[in-house]
Amino acid sequence: MCGIIGYCGPKPMANVLVEALKRMEYRGYDSAGIAVRSGSELTVIKRAGKIAALREAVPAEIPGDCGIGHTRWATHGGVTDHNAHPHLDASGKVAVVHNGIIENYAVLREKLSADGVEFKSETDSEVIAHLIGRLYEGDLTATVQQVVQLLKGTYGIAVLHIDEPGTVVGARNGSPLVLGIGEHEMFLASDVTAILGHTKQAIYLEDGEVVTVTADEYRTTDLNDRKIDKNIQIINWELEEIEKGGYQHYMEKEIFEQPDSITRAMQGRLDHENATGHLGGLNMTKKELLDLERVKIIAAGTSYYAGLVASYLIESIARIPCTVELAAEVRYRNPIVERNSVYFAVSQSGETADTLYAMRELQRKGARVLGICNVVGASIPRESDGGVYIHSGPEIAVASTKAFTSQLTALYIFTLLIARMRHMSLEEGTRFVQALEEVPERVSEVLQSAPAIAELARKYHSARSFLFLGRGINYPVAFEGALKLKEISYIHAEGYSAAEVKHGPIALIGPETPSLFLVPDDALREKVISNMKEVQARDGRVIAVCVEGDHEVAALADDVIMVPKVHELMYPFVMTVPLQLFAYYTALELGRNVDQPRNLAKSVTVE
Ligand code: AGP
């Protein structure tokens, strides 16, 4: 996924563009570049490396009336200056930045090369610049409308032309593009974090739409130049929410924000009198909810693990079958959509291509798909049949933390809602609501263990591989903990059922492969202790995350992280946070780029 910015207005162009790219660096950060138009000049500066490398190369001021910029997550072609965007056409009059994948670029490139076009990069995106340059006859909008119809795949683009003063044209298909409306200035960006410091008025483009932007006006059309009226939405985030607020990293800030973010995810959604949930956005009648016979969840990465936790809860307290699938697998396996079922597409960004395309395929087959998302106005919430925003506030760190616990919160409330429509009694519901409302406070207590967890990270940071082991509703938490560690520390880590280790993975056990066990005081505690002993009998070092006062487990383990006692269904919340902290401090110890780990991007908007 990449970051795109376009600007038309009087502000210092270089500063506006580079600052915006800096705010979107989490979207992709292997190279970056800008292009500024002024009179008959097109200034293009692009560099491999982080935005800092680009900032170094960009002069303090570049006169211009419009400009575009890009921060790249490489999909085609290595990380080089040449492959960085913007890309130019042969005449050097057209500059293009692109987010997405042009699936038919090879055919287009071949045709263009046969016509004598010389390519300067290995990217798919460069074909767009050449096509526009060759078909341009004085109307950039018309040319973009024509060219994008030649493309197969996904794009969010911003284009400028030397002969069109103060004008940027954008087009979207599958990759997000938002128009920011200011006072005598306009912005085009991949997401609102790039424009939040300038305006809160935003228009979200849909697939197949084109927008022509100047400092004082904009025009949105379809590909046949038919005007489309769009609603202006107000961005509901504050600028300071996308700042670090005194923390060393966004990830640290977002881990420590969880008592608040979990609270926000609950706000206005618990009916204490009836001990049930209240989720306005489901767009389902009580009868539809009562008739539900199956819940299915699709997601990727951390969101997938949130779905797995929820599936245990839904089956255990709502007594409805629930399956969870990797979104990327659903789309291409010709899924069976059952009557009286509902799907949840769980996605922090709301732009993950695997999840978005799977949702579209399920909807094509008649499924009802609800989004559990964080970013208002993103593709999944806009295209879903309803859903729940988790209100975490912007999650900037690539490694997802607060969104995970807020996704759980939303799914827990949904489960309570349908459980109380079935067999769950008022008393049971009241206990559940009480336990859920205690979670933020319990998470605050866990956060106080941060220094001890940092110490543990210092002790174990040289391990070359880790096993994370849990059972029951905490089994997915083991996977989430393993994902956190590997994606920011680059240490190999595997999540496993604590019971399953003896069926093979125990061969990995030795002093060099520590195991981290989740040992809540639930019905499976004794079983997990047995699994711990199996590992220790083979010289495996064991870190146990267990409940305060559990001296038996503390005595058994080599090291221990204590968490407060909670309702047995709430342990996923208090067991996840120590794993987030462990990964964070381990990555720090190893000198990793915690907020922007290598090879990754915050939201993967390509398949
Ligand atoms: C989580 O830490 C990872 N960055 C990644 O697995 C992420 O959860 C996944 O790409 C899904 O993103 P989404 O929630 O925005 O759809």
Side-chain angles (χ1 to χ4, degrees):
M1 174 193 71
C2 307
I4 284 179
I5 181 68
Y7 177 66
C8 302
K11 285 175 183 160
M13 200 61 66
N15 188 44
V16 168
L17 296 175
V18 175
E19 269 314 300
L21 292 177
K22 186 67 190 155
R23 291 198 189 287
M24 288 189 291
E25 196 167 26
Y26 72 99
R27 297 178 62 87
Y29 32 84
D30 56 45
S31 54
I34 62 171
V36 177
R37 183 208 167 278
S38 167
S40 59
E41 281 292 303
L42 192 55
T43 307
V44 179
I45 302 169
K46 48 189 193 174
R47 289 288 184 278
K50 299 250 184 287
I51 302 294
L54 177 68
R55 193 191 294 272
E56 278 290 301
V58 171
E61 189 29 44
I62 306 176
D65 51 24
C66 59
I68 56 177
H70 183 273
T71 182
R72 182 173 181 241
W73 183 66
T75 58
H76 291 72
V79 178
T80 63
D81 292 358
H82 287 306
N83 287 336
H85 301 213
H87 291 292
L88 303 183
D89 74 320
S91 71
K93 291 185 172 185
V94 177
V96 176
V97 290
H98 167 233
N99 177 25
I101 288 186
I102 305 303
E103 294 180 358
N104 63 333
Y105 89 96
V107 171
L108 294 170
R109 185 176 177 123
E110 204 174 309
K111 282 183 185 161
L112 288 163
S113 301
D115 278 359
V117 170
E118 279 184 36
F119 281 81
K120 296 197 172 59
S121 80
E122 305 147 319
T123 66
D124 54 336
S125 312
E126 190 182 349
V127 297
I128 304 172
H130 289 299
L131 288 170
I132 292 171
R134 292 166 69 84
L135 295 173
Y136 180 75
E137 293 176 346
D139 180 339
L140 187 57
T141 303
T143 310
V144 169
Q145 290 165 343
Q146 181 186 1
V147 165
V148 295
Q149 297 183 61
L150 305 174
L151 307 178
K152 289 190 177 61
T154 56
Y155 55 81
I157 59 173
V159 188
L160 55 76
H161 193 293
I162 275 187
D163 297 343
E164 307 233 351
T167 303
V168 172
V169 176
R172 173 210 152 124
N173 186 53
S175 296
L177 213 47
V178 59
L179 172 66
I181 300 163
E183 287 294 311
H184 305 301
E185 59 179 5
M186 297 279 179
F187 303 81
L188 210 48
S190 306
D191 73 42
V192 292
T193 52
I195 62 177
L196 202 48
H198 301 281
T199 178
K200 288 196 158 190
Q201 297 193 72
I203 283 178
Y204 296 90
L205 290 190
E206 305 283 350
D207 287 354
E209 292 182 347
V210 174
V211 64
T212 306
V213 182
T214 59
D216 289 301
E217 56 189 16
Y218 64 89
R219 181 170 180 267
T220 44
T221 71
D222 64 13
L223 300 185
N224 300 309
D225 203 35
R226 280 190 293 259
K227 192 170 181 311
I228 299 173
D229 292 325
K230 305 285 288 183
N231 297 325
I232 297 177
Q233 301 192 34
I234 303 303
I235 303 167
N236 63 356
W237 284 347
E238 299 305 323
L239 186 56
E240 54 273 11
E241 290 185 276
I242 61 173
E243 305 291 352
K244 284 184 195 160
Y247 286 95
Q248 192 183 353
H249 297 99
Y250 283 112
M251 184 174 178
E252 183 190 19
K253 175 187 172 202
E254 290 152 11
I255 290 172
F256 280 83
E257 271 180 340
Q258 288 178 109
D260 292 338
S261 52
I262 294 168
T263 301
R264 284 201 302 273
M266 274 186 242
Q267 242 144 25
R269 293 171 166 171
L270 290 171
D271 171 349
H272 293 87
E273 185 185 350
N274 299 302
T276 186
H278 173 69
L279 295 169
L282 297 182
N283 297 343
M284 291 179 73
T285 63
K286 283 212 184 317
K287 178 162 179 356
E288 287 167 330
L289 285 167
L290 193 57
D291 289 347
L292 263 187
E293 292 167 10
R294 184 175 291 279
V295 175
K296 299 190 173 187
I297 299 171
I298 62 169
T302 286
S303 300
Y304 171 71
Y305 300 136
L308 278 177
V309 171
S311 67
Y312 277 83
L313 194 79
I314 289 167
E315 293 211 348
S316 68
I317 69 166
R319 307 306 293 161
I320 295 182
C322 178
T323 52
V324 190
E325 273 197 82
L326 289 171
E329 295 304 314
V330 169
R331 183 186 184 192
Y332 294 107
R333 67 169 188 76
N334 195 14
I336 296 168
V337 173
E338 295 169 85
R339 298 181 189 293
N340 295 330
S341 67
V342 68
Y343 283 79
F344 282 103
V346 184
S347 174
Q348 187 284 131
S349 63
E351 296 296 354
T352 298
D354 290 331
T355 310
L356 176 60
Y357 299 149
M359 176 177 80
R360 288 176 179 168
E361 172 63 4
L362 291 164
Q363 288 175 315
R364 187 188 64 77
K365 287 175 163 255
R368 179 198 296 269
V369 186
L370 305 178
I372 302 273
C373 298
N374 188 36
V375 180
V376 176
S379 301
I380 290 173
R382 284 211 318 280
E383 296 186 27
S384 63
D385 303 301
V388 180
Y389 280 119
I390 63 173
H391 302 314
S392 290
E395 187 178 69
I396 307 293
V398 164
S400 185
T401 50
K402 64 176 181 175
F404 177 78
T405 47
S406 292
Q407 288 165 345
L408 290 186
T409 305
L411 289 162
Y412 271 54
I413 294 171
F414 170 77
T415 308
L416 171 67
L417 170 63
I418 50 177
R420 284 281 292 127
M421 293 176 75
R422 288 164 171 75
H423 64 285
M424 183 184 258
S425 71
L426 179 63
E427 293 69 27
E428 287 167 329
T430 302
R431 277 197 297 278
F432 187 90
V433 167
Q434 195 174 11
L436 188 57
E437 289 189 311
E438 283 179 9
V439 164
E441 184 52 39
R442 299 291 83 76
V443 167
S444 292
E445 292 164 14
V446 174
L447 291 169
Q448 289 165 28
S449 313
I453 296 169
E455 201 45 49
L456 222 45
R458 274 189 284 279
K459 178 174 178 181
Y460 286 89
H461 76 279
S462 54
R464 296 181 56 72
S465 185
F466 254 95
L467 287 179
F468 284 71
L469 305 159
R471 290 184 76 152
I473 198 168
N474 297 292
Y475 163 55
V477 175
F479 281 81
E480 171 54 14
L483 176 61
K484 287 285 90 59
L485 185 69
K486 60 187 145 189
E487 73 173 320
I488 65 171
S489 74
Y490 316 153
I491 296 174
H492 175 258
E494 278 190 78
Y496 248 97
S497 155
E500 184 62 14
V501 166
K502 56 185 178 293
H503 299 291
I506 205 162
L508 297 173
I509 295 301
E512 74 291 347
T513 306
S515 299
L516 187 146
F517 277 87
L518 303 175
V519 199
D521 63 345
D522 61 10
L524 293 166
R525 175 177 173 278
E526 299 310 319
K527 303 286 184 199
V528 176
I529 289 173
S530 306
N531 301 145
M532 271 173 62
K533 289 176 179 173
E534 289 155 9
V535 165
Q536 287 182 311
R538 292 155 178 85
D539 295 334
R541 289 186 294 169
V542 168
I543 302 172
V545 183
C546 65
V547 177
E548 279 152 6
D550 190 337
H551 301 302
E552 180 190 359
V553 170
L556 261 177
D558 297 276
D559 287 283
V560 69
I561 300 170
M562 295 277 189
V563 298
K565 180 178 175 57
V566 294
H567 182 293
E568 71 170 332
L569 294 173
M570 301 300 158
Y571 278 110
F573 291 96
V574 295
M575 289 261 159
T576 296
V577 176
L579 307 190
Q580 296 169 343
L581 289 167
F582 183 73
Y584 173 71
Y585 291 120
T586 302
L588 271 194
E589 197 62 31
L590 292 167
R592 306 297 190 216
N593 185 330
V594 172
D595 284 333
Q596 298 166 8
R598 69 183 181 192
N599 307 340
L600 291 177
K602 179 59 184 171
S603 164
V604 184
T605 57
V606 293
E607 283 194 275

